[in-house]
Amino acid sequence: MSLTVIRGGRVVDPASNQDGVVDLVIEDGVVTRVGDASSIVEQLATPQDHVVDATGRWVCPGFIDLHVHLREPGSEYKEDIQSGLAAAAAGGFTTVCPMPNTTPVNDNRAITEMMVARGQESTGARLVPFGAMTKGLRGEELAEMADMREAGVVGVTDDGRCVENAAVMRRVMEYARTFDLLVSQHCEDHSMTRGAQMHEGAISTRLGLRGWPREAEDIIVARDLILAEGTGARYHVAHISSMGAVRLIREAKSRGLPVSAEVTPHHLQLTHDALLTYDTHCKVNPPLRTEEDRAALREALADGTIDCIATDHAPHSVLEKNCAFDDAAVGINGLELAVPSLLPLVAEGVLTLTRLIEALTASPARLVPDVEMGSLKVGARADITIVDPLATWTPRRDALRSKSHNTPLLDQEVSGRIWQTWVAGERVFQS
Amino acid sequence: MTFSHRSLLDVDTLSRGDVDTIFKSADAFFEVSRRPIRKVPTLRGKTVINLFYEASTRTRTSFEIAGKRMSADVINMNVSASSVKKGETLYDTVKTLEAMHPDIVIVRHSASGAPSFLDKNLRCGVINAGDGMHAHPTQALLDAFTIRKKRGSLDGLKVAICGDVAHSRVARSNVRLLNLFGAEVRVVAPRTLIPRGFEEMGVTIYDDVEKGIADVDVLMILRIQRERLRGALLPSLREYSRTFGINERRLALASDDVIVMHPGPMNRGVEIEPAVADGAQSAVLDQVEAGVAIRMALLYLLTGEITELKETS
């Protein structure tokens, strides 16, 4: 029998309304006690082998990221499942959901099984994949969702592409509902964003870069909410970025529709001003928008209109980023620096610590009911993230687990760091 | 005379003092082009590379003449045809150029921001000869220089920019420079050709061409490209010409001594009637002449003086 006692930390577990200094006992990968563990520690012959002193640190349920790109199969020079899951663990994530836009696309059981198997043989976070909604992400024919679900898929999406045809999208929702799969949409009316490089507005005009207007996001969100209402599907807006989309989700939720949304750390923290120097590290899709959009996203995350935070971890090599802006790929390497980029939101009073941790744990867990996770209550699997909130450090290239380093925070001093990450009672990361 | 820039990527890095310095130099070089022997030894031994990723006749020729009149060795590289097709990255091209030790690289590129990328990766200076829809600083400088030569100053002048502002780097750089000098800038075009947020650059938008050009001192007319019909931006060139084209009747609404400008190439009969293009108020050829002087001044200020500064520091 294996036994670990995490002592003296501030346990923050929104799922069980827990927030206070308390011990946590883990036996055989399961939480067996949340409370004073002195009597257990006193009986240990070699306490040093079993006790973790978490004084001054936050002990949270393992973080869950519903939206990552691990690039395997197909672009292993940017990231692979092993490096991606190690990066996730280093960022405090114990479960991550890779998107299906790999090469070949994860639109069939064989690819899903391969990804799950690669995840099981890797160390780090657990891999729980999303499958494609349509074959080849082409937006034409349904993918074999039931088959992929049996192999471990918990949701479907064509992420990176939006299903443009409304009739197809309706069928996707009807079919996904049959198998209770979460339907996550990359909301972009591609007819409005051809050649787009950044948010359409004063900055894109000034820089002479083609704009990606809010309307292209809002139109799809509006259409899909109408379809979700008609079909009853569990519908999820991936990486929401515009204030209009926030308004639409709020309205749909007020009527009790089973809809949800996620937001990335970069949309919460940056605006299109970050592109003034043509910094390709800040080129993302959907794009960084205005101060007003950012304020709307923050407010919506705080009040629960936006359910959860997802990094949209999008590793790219220097080949895709050290080039002219038009040629640069979209995406930020997000897993390892999520916590330092999110903690200022608590310091600034945008979010309570409880809400921040909830948006990384209990809220995403609710959207993926197939996998039990997101809580530290007795009997839960011991997926645990311990945060050192005061540590300051500088993320250097060689200190990151990801194969890629495309983040605007590279070489910038940050505060807040993951101290330890545990998956099913095993320590998978120690800073 | 102080001029502390190494590169010219956009006009927004220039102060009024910088622009005055450029204009003073350009005044001197303007005369050089009118001498019987149009050559000075100022840049002897300096290497200037004209790196053009986009087809260009007038701008490339203007830079080439400017360099040659200053005795620089000017090399033209038309990259669109060669390296890009072979898959060479912009980064590799830049590093290859670096190994040839140029003193200045003049770049035109279809991607906005490409000159900034070159500037970050090169030790020598870079002049932006037009990048995507972003900036064309030498055009804005030569336009302002032309107006200044005719009017003495830009302060308080009313300037209307007519045409495809959305796709125009010329318009963007001109708006910034004209605002720097206290001109009032108007934009006259159908809304499909005006980019979102353009008012925030300091312009007033006019939907009615007659109101927009009323009493203006300067009329800058921009080219309307046939491609715009495909993107559903315009129904026809005919309708554009009828609604926004500048003809003699409309020109009469402007100030009596209005200056008519066009960066070229012109689509006669679309955005500008031949009678206006060739009329007494047209400054189109003055712009071309000013272009050589402005580019000579920039080559002098960016290569000559800065290199000396580097050697002594």
Side-chain angles (χ1 to χ4, degrees):
Chain A
M1 189 187 89
S2 78
L3 174 79
T4 304
V5 182
I6 297 172
R7 302 204 74 183
R10 174 179 171 188
V11 174
V12 184
D13 180 24
S16 59
N17 288 317
Q18 172 79 49
D19 183 1
V21 175
V22 73
D23 302 333
L24 204 66
V25 180
I26 304 163
E27 290 174 81
D28 290 333
V30 173
V31 176
T32 55
R33 176 181 297 202
V34 185
D36 184 27
S38 307
S39 59
I40 294 172
V41 174
E42 279 160 21
Q43 285 165 22
L44 291 170
T46 54
Q48 68 277 10
D49 294 342
H50 300 279
V51 175
V52 173
D53 181 5
T55 307
R57 301 189 167 100
W58 300 337
V59 180
C60 311
F63 299 160
I64 300 157
D65 190 342
L66 297 183
H67 195 134
V68 301
H69 297 272
L70 301 184
R71 305 300 187 206
E72 182 177 352
S75 299
E76 292 84 351
Y77 70 100
K78 300 182 183 189
E79 193 81 288
D80 58 31
I81 286 171
Q82 169 64 65
S83 67
L85 296 179
F93 293 92
T94 55
T95 303
V96 295
C97 300
M99 295 292 105
N101 63 339
T102 46
T103 317
V105 170
N106 182 20
D107 61 0
N108 64 82
R109 182 178 195 133
I111 301 294
T112 305
E113 284 178 345
M114 170 268 176
M115 288 170 80
V116 170
R118 290 280 290 118
Q120 280 163 355
E121 69 196 36
S122 303
T123 49
R126 179 184 301 106
L127 179 152
V128 176
F130 273 51
M133 337 201 246
T134 70
K135 290 191 183 101
L137 312 177
R138 282 187 297 271
E140 294 163 2
E141 298 171 70
L142 299 181
E144 291 179 340
M145 297 182 204
D147 213 18
M148 288 191 287
R149 189 182 197 283
E150 283 171 28
V153 150
V154 294
V156 289
T157 179
D158 277 4
D159 185 54
R161 295 287 308 168
C162 180
V163 174
E164 293 194 275
N165 183 308
V168 173
M169 193 60 206
R170 175 186 168 187
R171 300 307 178 201
V172 163
M173 289 198 198
E174 287 170 344
Y175 196 73
R177 189 201 160 166
T178 313
F179 304 100
D180 193 29
L181 286 160
L182 185 69
V183 176
S184 172
Q185 178 83 292
H186 170 113
C187 300
E188 173 178 359
D189 183 332
H190 295 289
S191 72
M192 295 187 80
T193 61
R194 226 148 265 152
Q197 302 293 321
M198 65 175 295
H199 173 69
E200 182 177 294
I203 308 277
S204 68
T205 290
R206 180 164 161 193
L207 294 176
L209 293 171
R210 280 186 199 278
W212 197 131
R214 280 191 199 96
E215 291 95 312
E217 178 168 343
D218 301 350
I219 283 169
I220 298 297
V221 173
R223 178 200 74 177
D224 284 359
L225 290 172
I226 292 165
L227 292 173
E229 185 167 11
T231 60
R234 291 196 291 127
Y235 175 73
H236 182 72
V237 176
H239 41 51
I240 191 168
S241 74
S242 91
M243 54 186 180
V246 165
R247 224 167 18 234
L248 290 161
I249 291 282
R250 185 172 283 133
E251 191 277 336
K253 281 192 164 187
S254 76
R255 291 189 294 116
L257 299 183
V259 299
S260 56
E262 68 188 29
V263 63
T264 71
H266 48 271
H267 287 104
L268 290 167
Q269 288 295 13
L270 301 170
T271 67
H272 60 165
D273 289 353
L275 296 163
L276 277 169
T277 57
Y278 292 101
D279 183 357
T280 57
H281 281 153
C282 295
K283 180 175 173 183
V284 288
N285 186 12
L288 301 173
R289 300 196 190 271
T290 67
E291 184 52 51
E292 270 182 291
D293 293 285
R294 179 171 68 170
L297 295 173
R298 288 174 162 199
E299 184 194 7
L301 180 61
D303 72 18
T305 300
I306 295 174
D307 299 77
C308 61
I309 296 167
T311 65
D312 194 8
H313 177 71
H316 288 294
S317 81
V318 287
L319 290 174
E320 290 88 21
K321 287 294 188 180
N322 189 21
C323 55
F325 200 89
D326 280 358
D327 299 332
V330 289
I332 287 179
N333 195 302
L335 283 168
E336 288 173 88
L337 293 162
V339 160
S341 54
L342 292 167
L343 285 186
L345 296 174
V346 176
E348 292 161 25
V350 174
L351 298 177
T352 61
L353 178 62
T354 306
R355 176 62 192 132
L356 172 64
I357 301 303
E358 184 186 42
L360 289 163
T361 59
S363 299
R366 263 197 299 277
L367 301 176
V368 181
D370 283 3
V371 185
E372 209 179 308
M373 56 186 174
S375 169
L376 292 177
K377 60 179 183 283
V378 170
R381 188 175 48 205
D383 290 354
I384 299 168
T385 296
I386 309 179
V387 180
D388 190 341
L390 300 176
T392 56
W393 60 297
T394 304
R396 302 283 182 203
R397 218 166 274 270
D398 53 6
L400 297 175
R401 265 67 173 180
S402 172
K403 282 189 181 179
S404 299
H405 313 104
N406 52 305
T407 162
L409 292 176
L410 190 70
D411 297 328
Q412 310 287 314
E413 192 181 79
V414 295
S415 63
R417 188 170 198 175
I418 301 303
W419 184 55
Q420 291 187 348
T421 307
W422 297 69
V423 172
E426 297 291 321
R427 187 159 58 201
V428 295
F429 175 75
Q430 162 83 58
S431 68
Chain B
M1 192 158 60
T2 57
F3 192 79
S4 60
H5 299 276
R6 184 187 80 142
S7 296
L8 178 67
L9 304 178
D10 193 2
V11 290
D12 55 8
T13 55
L14 300 176
S15 66
R16 277 185 81 137
D18 290 333
V19 179
D20 286 335
T21 301
I22 294 166
F23 286 173
K24 276 192 200 106
S25 300
D27 280 331
F29 290 119
F30 192 87
E31 299 310 318
V32 172
S33 292
R34 292 192 167 186
R35 289 180 196 164
I37 306 294
R38 289 178 282 275
K39 204 170 185 95
V40 290
T42 319
L43 296 185
R44 194 151 57 195
K46 301 283 182 195
T47 304
V48 174
I49 297 182
N50 255 336
L51 179 65
F52 276 62
Y53 282 85
E54 244 185 23
S56 158
T57 310
R58 59 188 66 215
T59 304
R60 206 213 66 220
T61 309
S62 181
F63 270 111
E64 184 175 355
I65 289 175
K68 286 182 169 164
R69 287 193 181 155
M70 317 256 314
S71 306
D73 296 308
V74 182
I75 290 91
N76 287 317
M77 292 183 62
N78 297 324
V79 205
S80 46
S82 57
S83 300
V84 173
K85 287 198 179 138
K86 291 178 203 151
E88 183 171 274
T89 65
L90 188 55
Y91 182 76
D92 284 322
T93 307
V94 168
K95 287 294 153 190
T96 304
L97 285 180
E98 177 106 301
M100 297 173 187
H101 301 288
D103 294 282
I104 200 141
V105 172
I106 296 156
V107 62
R108 166 165 290 190
H109 202 288
S110 57
S112 299
S116 308
F117 180 81
L118 259 68
D119 189 52
K120 282 177 203 151
N121 288 286
L122 277 173
R123 280 192 299 270
C124 70
V126 174
I127 298 179
N128 181 2
D131 62 326
M133 300 179 290
H134 172 229
H136 196 348
T138 61
Q139 179 74 42
L141 286 165
L142 75 86
D143 286 346
F145 184 74
T146 304
I147 299 168
R148 174 181 162 276
K149 256 185 130 39
K150 290 190 175 291
R151 286 297 180 85
S153 153
L154 283 81
D155 219 352
L157 293 186
K158 291 192 187 75
V159 182
I161 302 178
C162 308
D164 185 0
V165 177
H167 300 87
S168 175
R169 53 198 174 210
V170 173
R172 284 172 174 79
S173 288
N174 263 315
V175 167
R176 300 200 140 255
L177 195 61
L178 290 165
N179 276 325
L180 182 69
F181 279 86
E184 177 201 324
V185 188
R186 306 171 174 188
V187 166
V188 184
R191 295 280 172 165
T192 48
L193 298 182
I194 297 174
R196 200 170 277 193
F198 205 62
E199 301 93 321
E200 291 174 46
M201 290 185 74
V203 302
T204 311
I205 293 169
Y206 284 80
D207 295 315
D208 180 333
V209 66
E210 298 186 354
K211 286 185 184 138
I213 65 176
D215 302 319
V216 296
D217 302 290
V218 180
L219 195 50
M220 291 182 168
I221 305 168
L222 302 173
R223 176 179 167 81
I224 296 292
Q225 289 174 287
R226 184 166 282 281
E227 296 97 276
R228 304 299 166 230
L229 305 184
R230 281 202 301 272
L233 296 168
L234 288 177
S236 65
L237 296 182
R238 172 184 163 278
E239 179 153 304
Y240 180 85
S241 176
R242 273 170 50 83
T243 48
F244 287 94
I246 304 300
N247 52 33
E248 285 180 292
R249 184 177 56 77
R250 285 178 178 153
L251 189 63
L253 301 168
S255 138
D256 290 342
D257 51 356
V258 63
I259 306 170
V260 175
M261 307 177 85
H262 194 302
M266 288 187 277
N267 269 330
R268 288 168 183 260
V270 181
E271 72 270 8
I272 186 168
E273 286 300 310
V276 175
D278 303 323
Q281 284 140 323
S282 171
V284 172
L285 299 177
D286 302 294
Q287 288 172 274
V288 176
E289 190 176 8
V292 175
I294 283 289
R295 289 169 179 128
M296 287 172 83
L298 286 167
L299 288 173
Y300 167 66
L301 292 167
L302 294 171
T303 54
E305 240 178 305
I306 300 309
T307 313
E308 281 158 31
L309 279 177
K310 270 187 189 163
E311 281 163 6
T312 54
S313 61

